[in-house]
Amino acid sequence: MPQGAGPNADQVAHWNGPAAATWVAIQARLDRQIEPIGRATMDALAPGVGDRVLDIGCGCGASTLELSRRVGAAGEALGIDPSGPMLDVARRRATEAGLAQARFLEADAQTHAFAPASFDKAYSRFGVMFFADPVAAFANVRRALKPEGRIAFLCWRTPAENPIMSLPMAAARPHLPAPASPPDPGAPGPFAFADRSRIETILARAGFADIGVVAHDEKLTAGPLDEAVDTALRMGPLGSFLREHPEFKAAVEPAVRIALAQHQSPRGVFLDSATWIVTARNSTV
Ligand SMILES: C[S@@+](CC[C@H](N)C(=O)[O-])C[C@H]1O[C@@H](n2cnc3c(N)ncnc32)[C@H](O)[C@@H]1O
C-alpha cells in the first residue's frame, strides 16, 4: 500500500521493511510458536460454517487460512494487512492450500473503507496493537461488523510476564549501553495492550459491549537451542535493537544462549507467555 502517508505511516513503513523481512524469513517457526494461543483465541470466537470473517493484521496468513477452513467454501476469511511482503506469503500459501475463500487486502484496518455491516466476526492474532488511534481503528472495525457481530483478539500482557519476548533482552542488557528513557507503555507496539483497563476503555469507546478480557498463560516452544538463539537475536525487543545496532550481536549472543539453555528440555526450549484473550460484541442492534 502507499507508504509515507496516513495516521499509521511509521508502522506501515516498519511492516514493509525489516520487520516484514524477519517475519517472512522465519514464518514457519513463528507460526509453530504462537499457533496454540492463536487457536485458543479462535475457539473463543467460534467462527461458523458460512461466516464472513475479518482477520486484522493477518501478516503471513496462517490464521486467515485456519479461519477459511473453519468457515468453509460457503464463507470467506479476509485478511487485512498493510505489509506487502507478508501478504505475498499469505496469498501464496492460500493458493497452495487451494483455499479460494481465503482472500487478502493490502490496507490499514484503522482507515480502510469497509462495506458497513459486512462481516459476521473479526479476529486478530497480535495484529491490533499497532494503531496510532486505537479507538478510531476499533470503531472502524466495529462498523464493518453486522449488528451483534463479535470480535476476538490476542495481545501480549507486560514484558515482565513474557519471558518468551523479554528474556533475550534481559540477558543481553549487561552488554548493551544504558537504554534511553522508557517508551510510553501505550505507544503502538507489541505491548500497547498490556493494560487490561486500557483495552476495556478503548473497546467501550469504539462501541463494543460484553467486553471480556481473559488472562491466558502458556509455555511456548522456541525450538531447539540453536534455533531459539537465532530467533531471539532477530525478534522481539532484542531483535529490534540489533537490527539498528548489529555491532552488539557478537557480544550478546553467549549471554542469550546461556539464558535460553536454562529453559531447555528434551523437546527443545520452552518459555512462559502471558496474553489476554479479548472478546466483545458490536453493540449496534
Ligand atoms: C506481530 S505481526 C502478527 C501477524 C499475524 N497476525 C500472525 O500472527 O502471524 C503484526 C501484524 O499487524 C500488521 N499491522 C500493523 N499495523 C496494521 C494496521 N494499521 N492495519 C492492519 N494490520 C496492521 C502488521 O503488518 C503485521 O503483519
Side-chain angles (χ1 to χ4, degrees):
M1 65 177 285
Q3 293 175 45
N8 294 304
D10 289 352
Q11 287 293 327
V12 172
H14 176 72
W15 290 104
N16 279 276
T22 305
W23 274 80
V24 167
I26 58 173
Q27 163 252 313
R29 70 174 84 150
L30 295 176
D31 279 342
R32 192 165 57 243
Q33 182 174 87
I34 59 181
E35 189 276 336
I37 48 180
R39 180 164 22 92
T41 310
M42 210 175 282
D43 291 346
L45 185 65
V49 171
D51 275 352
R52 189 158 190 261
V53 185
L54 180 66
D55 186 4
I56 307 159
C58 65
C60 297
S63 53
T64 320
L65 300 194
E66 179 55 22
L67 286 167
S68 74
R69 288 188 191 98
R70 292 195 188 201
V71 301
E76 182 188 1
L78 179 71
I80 180 169
D81 201 292
S83 173
M86 293 171 80
L87 287 183
D88 287 346
V89 176
R91 289 194 174 101
R92 178 174 47 74
R93 295 168 88 189
T95 303
E96 286 170 4
L99 291 166
Q101 70 273 26
R103 302 200 180 101
F104 298 94
L105 174 65
E106 188 174 331
D108 180 340
Q110 182 178 321
T111 55
H112 180 70
F114 296 108
S118 55
F119 291 93
D120 297 287
K121 296 186 173 83
Y123 171 87
S124 185
R125 186 177 85 172
F126 297 131
V128 294
M129 303 91 85
F130 306 95
F131 302 124
D133 186 341
V135 173
F138 277 98
N140 194 41
V141 168
R142 185 188 59 73
R143 285 188 293 270
L145 285 170
K146 294 177 182 171
E148 304 287 314
R150 291 177 64 246
I151 186 170
F153 66 83
L154 181 69
C155 57
W156 298 109
R157 291 178 5 232
T158 61
E161 294 168 282
N162 273 294
I164 189 79
M165 295 284 278
S166 60
L167 179 137
M169 180 54 110
R173 178 58 65 207
H175 307 276
L176 300 177
S181 53
D184 167 7
F191 299 108
F193 278 12
D195 177 357
R196 151 190 221 134
S197 62
R198 182 164 189 263
I199 299 173
E200 291 166 344
T201 302
I202 287 169
L203 289 178
R205 286 198 187 142
F208 283 97
D210 293 344
I211 300 163
V213 183
V214 175
H216 184 94
D217 299 281
E218 186 163 344
K219 279 191 190 302
L220 300 179
T221 178
L225 182 59
D226 284 345
E227 183 180 295
V229 173
D230 181 65
T231 304
L233 299 175
R234 297 162 82 161
M235 292 296 298
L238 180 59
S240 301
F241 176 85
L242 291 177
R243 273 201 289 275
E244 288 178 24
H245 305 282
E247 68 276 16
F248 287 100
K249 187 174 168 193
V252 303
E253 180 163 351
V256 171
R257 179 174 291 276
I258 289 168
L260 288 171
Q262 289 167 15
H263 299 269
Q264 202 176 7
S265 77
R267 292 167 46 238
V269 176
F270 281 79
L271 293 167
D272 286 330
S273 76
T275 49
W276 298 120
I277 294 180
V278 182
T279 51
R281 175 178 59 78
N282 181 3
S283 62
T284 309
V285 286

